[in-house]
Amino acid sequence: MSAPPLTFSEFYPRYLREHSRRGTRILHFIGTTLFLLALVLATVWQRPILVLAGVVAAYGFAWIGHFFVEHNRPATFQHPWLSLLGDFRLYWDLFRGRESF
């Protein structure tokens, strides 16, 4: 029997624990910023390939943080959608100062 699906409220505290180091948070913030910039540029310049470049940048920075700073496995591998929501939530909280780097 499989475990019941997680809600975001159940998942997010674990997500924060897996992103506890300053370097990991900085790398995630840079990667997400690059993704958002690529999304805007893709829209303005009508170049959809830039979205793919943004995704590669975001995951590249995030995975460097996990493998070399945090020394853990990215939550994306088990919970891709919850992890994506967690990334945007953490990004917004860092941007507003509700979480620290």
Side-chain angles (χ1 to χ4, degrees):
M1 195 161 150
S2 64
L6 287 173
T7 65
F8 184 71
S9 296
E10 295 167 333
F11 174 79
Y12 194 59
R14 184 179 117 194
Y15 181 90
L16 289 176
R17 284 192 304 275
E18 293 176 355
H19 297 79
S20 63
R21 293 183 181 217
R22 185 172 196 265
T24 303
R25 288 179 173 216
I26 290 171
L27 288 166
H28 271 67
F29 193 85
I30 292 169
T32 302
T33 300
L34 290 173
F35 168 75
L36 293 172
L37 178 62
L39 191 61
V40 168
L41 293 176
T43 303
V44 171
W45 293 341
Q46 297 181 8
R47 305 273 184 195
I49 194 71
L50 292 175
V51 175
L52 179 60
V55 169
V56 169
Y59 278 110
F61 276 90
W63 289 359
I64 288 169
H66 283 288
F67 294 127
F68 298 106
V69 178
E70 202 77 42
H71 302 290
N72 63 14
R73 190 170 177 222
T76 302
F77 297 143
Q78 287 185 315
H79 304 285
W81 296 113
L82 292 173
S83 180
L84 182 62
L85 288 174
D87 186 56
F88 285 122
R89 166 79 182 275
L90 179 58
Y91 182 86
W92 183 238
D93 286 346
L94 288 167
F95 185 79
R96 296 183 301 165
R98 293 200 173 189
E99 284 285 339
S100 63
F101 283 95

